[in-house]
Amino acid sequence: MGRGNAWRKRLANPMWAVFLMFALFPYIPYIGRYISLGTEVVIWSLFALGFNILLGYTGLPSFGHGAFFGIGAYAAGIYFLRVSKGLWGPLFMSALIAGIAAALIGFLVAKKRGIYFALITIAVSQVFYFIAFRWDDLTGGETGLSGIDRMDLGIPGLLRIDLSPPLTYYYFVLAIFILCTLLIWRIVHSPFGRVLQAMRENELRASYLGYHTAAYKWAAFVVSGLFSGLAGGLYTLLINSAFAFVLDWTQSGNVVMMTLLGGGTVNFFGPVLGAAIFIVSRDLLSAYWESWMLLYGLIFVVVILFIPSGILGLIGGRKQTVLR
């Protein structure tokens, strides 16, 4: 009976509904034809879930996290164009280089908190932005990197899947998203994740319990950077190019807005909902109204002032969802 109840509890997890919804997206009437838009939603959902390890579970407001998304994007593009054309190599390098950058920057911010943590991350992200914008020989400068093709997936001589069609690449990104979501879920619900949540509630008390809080913040920063970099690599393959705008502070602001709007501080899947709302609003509303960001900004302000726990926090209640 105990094992049966455990399986029923696992199957009742809302993540399966999220996976099913994304899997059926291409077949939804009207909106299903926007495959590239759906792919972007999945990529930004992965980015936001990785970012939420810091904001929602550790309580660290990183306002420069777009740096790791952009570093991953450029790492994939540079590796593809100047080292080896492939699929897994660029994606591996996007996560690795972003993780290394996060590890180095983490040493600067691990002992900081609050506004000091946020300001340092913003400053670092702008440093990377200007490097990418000016280093013509490596990053292409203002013109960026182009000609980054999506290579075939498969086993030579046995299996070959062409990822150039948008639908095929959508399901490839979805498969990576599912694997990463399961991994992030395990991380935040592990003893390590419980320590992060304890630090979020009261870092001083967590330190009194014997936890090296600076080391845990550094580790959370690195793990978050890895997933953010991988999302950046997937984005480079989506648009077949890499440009400096992915490193701009506005990208960092976007992921913060997504996470807070959806309810990432109280619910694991809040960032996914926020990413979907933001990307759809940007692409669909902007087609009808040039000043769509004004409306979105007003909605965001209302949510922060009156629904600080976000949309999913409003639906489920903060007390019931804070540790999900």
Side-chain angles (χ1 to χ4, degrees), residues 4 82 120 133 155 209 213 224 227 242 248 263 277 285 288 294 319:
R82 306 187 180 180
I120 292 175
F133 197 74
I155 303 173
L209 292 174
T213 57
S224 182
F227 287 110
D248 191 41
I277 293 174
L285 290 182
Y288 299 98
L294 175 61
K319 292 183 179 180

Side-chain angles (χ1 to χ4, degrees), residues 5-274:
N5 290 333
W7 274 107
R8 279 194 293 271
K9 186 176 180 180
R10 292 177 183 176
L11 292 175
N13 194 305
M15 77 167 58
W16 306 117
V18 172
F19 296 160
L20 180 62
M21 178 183 64
F22 277 134
L24 296 178
F25 168 80
Y27 305 101
I28 299 176
Y30 183 69
I31 65 172
R33 61 185 179 181
Y34 297 100
I35 300 298
S36 294
L37 179 64
T39 306
E40 194 170 353
V41 169
V42 177
I43 291 173
W44 276 89
S45 295
L46 173 58
F47 179 24
L49 284 174
F51 168 75
N52 201 43
I53 295 174
L54 279 184
L55 182 62
Y57 284 90
T58 316
L60 297 176
S62 175
F63 291 161
H65 225 60
F68 307 115
F69 184 86
I71 289 172
Y74 269 106
I78 293 171
Y79 186 90
F80 182 91
L81 294 174
R82 306 187 180 180
V83 180
S84 176
K85 289 179 170 56
L87 176 66
W88 297 114
L91 291 179
F92 175 76
M93 292 304 295
S94 66
L96 177 63
I97 300 301
I100 292 174
L104 295 175
I105 298 168
F107 286 118
L108 298 176
V109 300
K111 294 185 179 180
K112 306 297 181 183
R113 195 168 181 86
I115 189 64
Y116 302 103
F117 183 94
L119 289 176
I120 292 175
T121 56
I122 291 176
V124 169
S125 97
Q126 286 305 99
V127 169
F128 282 115
Y129 170 75
F130 283 110
I131 290 175
F133 197 74
R134 295 296 183 184
W135 197 350
D136 294 349
D137 293 337
L138 182 66
T139 65
E142 296 183 39
T143 58
L145 302 174
S146 58
I148 305 168
D149 300 321
R150 294 197 289 267
M151 305 301 288
D152 294 343
L153 172 67
I155 303 173
L158 296 177
L159 177 66
R160 187 183 70 85
I161 301 176
D162 183 9
L163 292 181
S164 57
L167 182 61
T168 308
Y169 186 63
Y170 172 81
Y171 280 112
F172 172 75
V173 171
L174 178 60
I176 293 180
F177 170 79
I178 291 173
L179 293 175
C180 290
T181 300
L182 292 172
L183 182 56
I184 294 172
W185 177 272
R186 292 293 297 172
I187 290 172
V188 300
H189 290 85
S190 68
F192 170 77
R194 298 298 184 188
V195 175
L196 297 183
Q197 294 173 59
M199 290 166 49
R200 177 195 62 199
E201 299 302 321
N202 193 315
E203 184 177 343
L204 182 60
R205 187 171 297 177
S207 66
Y208 286 160
L209 292 174
Y211 295 109
H212 193 321
T213 57
Y216 275 90
K217 286 195 288 185
W218 178 83
F221 202 80
V222 174
V223 172
S224 182
L226 285 168
F227 287 110
S228 301
L230 177 59
L234 291 169
Y235 187 72
T236 288
L237 296 181
L238 171 65
I239 64 175
N240 303 118
S241 55
F243 298 102
F245 80 89
V246 296
L247 283 159
D248 191 41
W249 66 271
T250 56
Q251 302 300 316
S252 302
N254 289 343
V255 76
V256 174
M257 293 173 68
M258 293 174 188
T259 303
L260 294 178
L261 178 64
T265 57
V266 298
N267 191 290
F268 180 85
F269 293 102
V272 177
L273 176 62

